[in-house]
Amino acid sequence: MRAVLHGLLPVGAERRTRHLGHAACFVRFLTDPDLAKVARDAPRALENLVASQIAQGQDVGAAAEAAFVVASTEGLQSSVLLRQRTADEAITMIDPQLARVFTTTNPAAEYGESA
């Protein structure tokens, strides 16, 4: 799961350019009802993936934790694109959240990896 969340960040020139393109398209998604309908399901799919990984590491609250972790990471995208934070700073903000969510006795579960 760590790789999925880090993949959401505009780390490096190529991903930064891709994220800027996504940001430019976002305005169309806000104004075109057909595009908005398609986009509406994408965040939930990502949250569902993250929730399934979290559920393997804890008993309750996986959906809420997933929504929070994904929203936090998506929020960090903007601050990295605006150069308010570096990519490394964003990564160091994500990792403690994953450690908090995956407080289990299974060390492999810490980042959503299977044992």
Side-chain angles (χ1 to χ4, degrees):
M1 179 164 61
R2 184 174 190 258
V4 170
L5 295 176
H6 287 194
L8 292 173
L9 296 173
V11 177
E14 182 179 327
R15 286 202 299 194
R16 179 176 174 73
T17 299
R18 184 179 60 207
H19 278 76
L20 287 170
H22 290 164
C25 291
F26 181 71
V27 174
R28 291 245 5 242
F29 283 93
L30 293 174
T31 59
D32 184 316
D34 292 331
L35 290 175
K37 184 176 185 288
V38 171
R40 234 174 295 190
D41 294 333
R44 294 284 187 229
L46 180 57
E47 285 176 19
N48 291 340
L49 170 68
V50 173
S52 72
Q53 293 294 308
I54 291 172
Q56 292 177 24
Q58 67 183 36
D59 294 331
V60 294
E65 288 286 3
F68 178 77
V69 169
V70 170
S72 298
T73 305
E74 288 174 341
L76 288 170
Q77 289 175 357
S78 298
S79 65
V80 172
L81 287 174
L82 289 169
R83 298 176 195 253
Q84 294 170 322
R85 289 185 176 81
T86 67
D88 288 339
E89 289 172 330
I91 287 169
T92 62
M93 294 173 78
I94 291 170
D95 289 347
Q97 294 306 312
L98 292 176
R100 180 187 59 77
V101 169
F102 290 108
T103 53
T104 69
T105 57
N106 177 0
E110 182 175 343
Y111 294 114
E113 300 169 6
S114 56

